[in-house]
Amino acid sequence: MQPLTEHVADVLVIGSGAAGLSLALRLAGHCKVMVLSKGPLNEGSTYYAQGGIAAVFDETDSIASHVEDTLVAGAGLCDREAVEFIAGNARHCVQWLIDQGVLFDTEAGTGTGGENDERAGRHADERYHLTREGGHSHRRILHAADATGKEVETTLVSKAASHPNIHIMERCNAVDLIGSSKIGLPGTRRVVGAYIWNREKERVETCRAKSVVLATGGTSKVYQYTTNPDISSGDGIAMAWRAGCRVANLEFNQFHPTCLFHPQARNFLLTEALRGEGAYLKRPDGTRFMPDFDERAELAPRDIVARAIDHEMKRLGADCMYLDISHKPADFIRQHFPMIYQKLLTLDIDLTREPIPIVPAAHYTCGGVMVDQHGRTDLDGLYAIGEVSYTGLHGANRLASNSLLECLVYGWSASEDILTRLPSIKLARQLPPWDESRVDNSDEQVVLQHNWHELRLFMWDYVGIVRTTKRLERALHRINLLQREIDEYYSNFRISNNLLEVRNLTQVAELIVKSAMLRKESRGLHYTLDYPDMDANPQPTILHP
């Protein structure tokens, strides 16, 4: 066995994006919080979010309208109570973010992204510049130019890193949750801590905690093409499933319609706000095609737009379609999309003069670990917030810019519940150390790399934008074979980052495929040629361990 290295905290937060850090900051005035960051603090989906946060800040808009737009985008599968809860708490949660120092663009200062703005110069009566994105009936997207996530994440990181009650561990993976049954505690099963892979010290450590919060993001790395950073490997969903928690709606994987098609920038996202400000989708010959698919054209929800692009690419045998905003004034484009403009220039593409080659790419996981309105899972003391969770907000398709909002609202609601319960919870005594006395160092890393590439390729081909029962069956067969190989590898060799990720990705792939096989209809993000019609009485797809 390894020498014992144990950490102790009131609350262990696994994940360092908007969900995890907002919760940590809300808790830190009352208890000791440990935040686990899989990579560098900024390296998560929040940092790369371009569009913004949906919330009703305009007097012509209403919470009821935000609710209705969300329900329509969710294609009849949203939980209305959850939608009303999140939309109804949007403003005060976004205001909390503003109070932390996040600078959203105002009508007087559009396009700064907070970087050139004098923070002390803001006035309370300034109106926020609100954009409109696909599926929204009003302009309600607060943003910091086209780099909202960067502004949010850097502000929260700065606050958390300097807080005396928050201990941050970077480059550390959670391996598995530790339940009370593992240490022989009687009564209701609850989480008492977690095993942690410290990549810099190359050892597994333990953390004892009264509560554990999963804020690990989604699973988009299970696909060959994704807009997400490398850390999005479904870790939280896989860990929760192994610990005995239910998951729901994992067949609904959102493919962002407009990812840059370029060999030097395979996962660069072109924000939906481009279409919100008038960009057109075009075929290689320069003709528009979205009006042929939906009366909302480029402003249709993402599932419709992604399928239309996929359809045209396959019909024409084209490698990509094109996004064109060059008909707008150049100053307008540079002011509203400075980050995208500069990035494309480094690739010799001028956003103000030419169309941009695009393809759909895996972007967001609409399902996840089942939780209630406080983020509580099936296991006492375990919470899940943000993209890792299934709240009922997104249904069969997420409405643009509702994702960061969900992180903030559940960061608030989970923190309230945790603080209420903490005084009655006792820390478990010493946890069992990690035992790797019967494993060796691997000299066959090529096996992991092969499994990794094979998994992502067949998930893209068989469980992508358009599916069939036969493709799903083939995918499940391959997953079962991979799982046997990976389980054997996991039992015999020491842990590595690649091993942990491919283990979790394979587990999540199985859950995605089994969910998709249970849905005998086409709805939202799940489109199957074998069942092209919608069921009259749709229900969430729930898997039990």
Side-chain angles (χ1 to χ4, degrees):
M1 291 191 182
Q2 292 183 343
L4 179 64
T5 303
E6 183 179 70
H7 307 275
V8 179
D10 292 310
V11 182
L12 170 63
V13 180
I14 305 174
S16 58
L21 291 183
S22 65
L23 175 131
L25 286 167
R26 288 181 181 274
L27 293 175
H30 310 277
C31 62
K32 297 289 186 181
V33 183
M34 183 174 178
V35 175
L36 215 61
S37 182
K38 188 173 169 182
L41 262 182
N42 281 341
E43 186 62 20
S45 293
T46 294
Y47 185 84
Y48 294 101
Q50 295 175 1
I53 305 175
V56 175
F57 270 72
D58 188 87
E59 60 274 9
T60 65
D61 197 2
S62 68
I63 292 172
S65 178
H66 188 181
V67 168
E68 185 61 27
D69 290 346
T70 301
L71 294 174
V72 170
L77 210 57
C78 297
D79 181 319
R80 176 179 279 275
E81 187 176 344
V83 175
E84 291 175 345
F85 173 72
I86 293 164
N89 285 290
R91 183 155 185 161
H92 78 84
C93 289
V94 173
Q95 185 60 52
W96 176 87
L97 201 59
I98 294 167
D99 294 341
Q100 303 311 301
V102 171
L103 289 176
F104 293 111
D105 286 354
T106 62
E107 295 287 358
T110 302
T112 65
E115 293 186 7
N116 303 315
D117 203 336
E118 300 253 348
R119 290 178 184 266
R122 284 289 176 94
H123 300 289
D125 59 351
E126 282 188 296
R127 292 171 58 90
Y128 289 107
H129 180 268
L130 305 173
T131 61
R132 181 183 174 193
E133 295 179 347
H136 289 274
S137 58
H138 291 77
R139 285 181 171 265
R140 65 167 69 97
I141 315 301
L142 288 91
H143 65 104
D146 57 350
T148 307
K150 180 180 178 181
E151 170 70 11
V152 170
E153 181 73 2
T154 53
T155 301
L156 294 179
V157 165
S158 175
K159 286 277 187 179
S162 61
H163 201 292
N165 277 355
I166 298 177
H167 175 53
I168 297 170
M169 290 183 64
E170 293 183 274
R171 297 176 177 84
C172 290
N173 302 50
V175 178
D176 264 321
L177 301 168
I178 303 174
S180 54
S181 59
K182 186 175 182 65
I183 58 174
L185 290 180
T188 305
R189 283 190 68 233
R190 62 172 291 105
V191 68
V192 295
Y195 288 115
I196 298 166
W197 168 243
N198 188 321
R199 297 212 301 277
E200 291 188 346
K201 296 180 180 179
E202 294 191 340
R203 68 186 182 195
V204 179
E205 304 169 351
T206 59
C207 179
R208 277 188 292 147
K210 295 180 178 181
S211 295
V212 176
V213 182
L214 298 173
T216 53
T219 70
S220 288
K221 199 177 175 182
V222 78
Y223 288 102
Q224 184 177 21
Y225 302 107
T226 175
T227 64
N228 286 195
D230 280 345
I231 64 167
S232 300
S233 52
D235 303 333
I237 294 172
M239 285 189 291
W241 175 260
R242 290 194 292 265
C245 296
R246 292 171 297 161
V247 298
N249 276 18
L250 284 171
E251 69 270 37
F252 297 114
N253 303 280
Q254 188 174 77
F255 290 81
H256 197 287
T258 53
C259 182
L260 178 65
F261 181 70
H262 194 283
Q264 296 175 28
R266 291 171 64 91
N267 65 344
F268 185 67
L269 176 67
L270 293 163
T271 175
E272 189 149 354
L274 283 159
R275 284 180 283 129
E277 294 296 343
Y280 296 134
L281 283 163
K282 295 181 176 180
R283 302 179 180 94
D285 66 1
T287 59
R288 289 177 65 193
F289 58 87
M290 277 311 302
D292 299 339
F293 290 88
D294 193 282
E295 62 183 9
R296 292 163 290 188
E298 280 80 8
L299 291 179
R302 288 177 178 174
D303 59 324
I304 295 172
V305 179
R307 275 202 306 277
I309 295 170
D310 183 70
H311 178 273
E312 289 298 289
M313 286 172 58
K314 289 175 177 173
R315 183 178 71 85
L316 297 172
D319 291 332
C320 63
M321 291 290 116
Y322 292 85
L323 185 69
D324 190 1
I325 197 171
S326 62
H327 53 279
K328 290 284 187 176
D331 288 344
F332 173 90
I333 296 170
R334 285 191 289 263
Q335 182 184 46
H336 282 76
F337 306 105
M339 189 268 289
I340 294 174
Y341 175 73
Q342 291 297 331
K343 173 67 174 180
L344 292 177
L345 281 183
T346 67
L347 302 170
D348 295 322
I349 301 172
D350 188 343
L351 185 64
T352 67
R353 294 175 177 270
E354 58 191 310
I356 315 305
I358 55 94
V359 291
H363 181 61
Y364 191 86
T365 307
C366 288
V369 183
M370 292 190 71
V371 298
D372 65 10
Q373 283 190 357
H374 297 287
R376 293 188 297 237
T377 70
D378 294 331
L379 187 61
D380 276 6
L382 179 66
Y383 296 75
I385 59 175
E387 191 176 354
V388 68
S389 69
Y390 166 77
T391 64
L393 172 65
H394 306 305
N397 180 36
R398 176 174 70 85
L399 181 65
S401 291
N402 269 353
S403 52
L404 288 177
L405 174 62
E406 185 183 45
C407 291
L408 298 175
V409 171
Y410 277 80
W412 159 71
S413 66
S415 69
E416 296 282 303
D417 192 72
I418 290 169
L419 291 174
T420 300
R421 292 168 180 263
L422 274 185
S424 64
I425 302 174
K426 290 184 179 180
L427 270 172
R429 294 182 181 179
Q430 184 174 308
L431 302 177
W434 185 257
D435 183 4
E436 57 175 30
S437 59
R438 294 181 296 275
V439 298
D440 299 314
N441 289 315
S442 171
D443 59 358
E444 291 290 339
Q445 289 290 327
V446 67
V447 175
L448 285 184
Q449 289 300 111
H450 178 81
N451 289 347
W452 180 279
H453 293 304
E454 182 181 355
L455 173 69
R456 299 181 74 199
L457 179 60
F458 72 64
M459 285 295 290
W460 181 263
D461 288 340
Y462 297 157
V463 200
I465 294 172
V466 177
R467 302 161 179 178
T468 67
T469 301
K470 185 173 286 186
R471 292 176 195 171
L472 295 175
E473 289 171 346
R474 285 175 175 163
L476 187 59
H477 175 68
R478 291 301 307 144
I479 289 167
N480 290 335
L481 293 175
L482 285 179
Q483 283 179 323
R484 287 198 288 272
E485 288 184 16
I486 292 164
D487 287 346
E488 181 182 358
Y489 197 100
Y490 188 78
S491 300
N492 290 293
F493 298 111
R494 287 193 172 91
I495 278 178
S496 67
N497 184 64
N498 282 350
L499 174 56
L500 291 176
E501 287 196 338
V502 77
R503 177 186 182 224
N504 289 333
L505 281 173
T506 307
Q507 178 60 79
V508 171
E510 179 192 18
L511 298 175
I512 291 171
V513 172
K514 286 184 174 179
S515 298
M517 292 175 76
L518 287 172
R519 185 161 294 281
K520 307 298 186 184
E521 62 161 352
S522 288
R523 182 178 300 274
L525 301 166
H526 174 72
Y527 186 81
T528 170
L529 296 176
D530 294 318
Y531 301 97
D533 299 323
M534 289 200 294
D535 195 301
N537 184 32
Q539 300 295 323
T541 303
I542 300 173
L543 300 182
H544 299 257

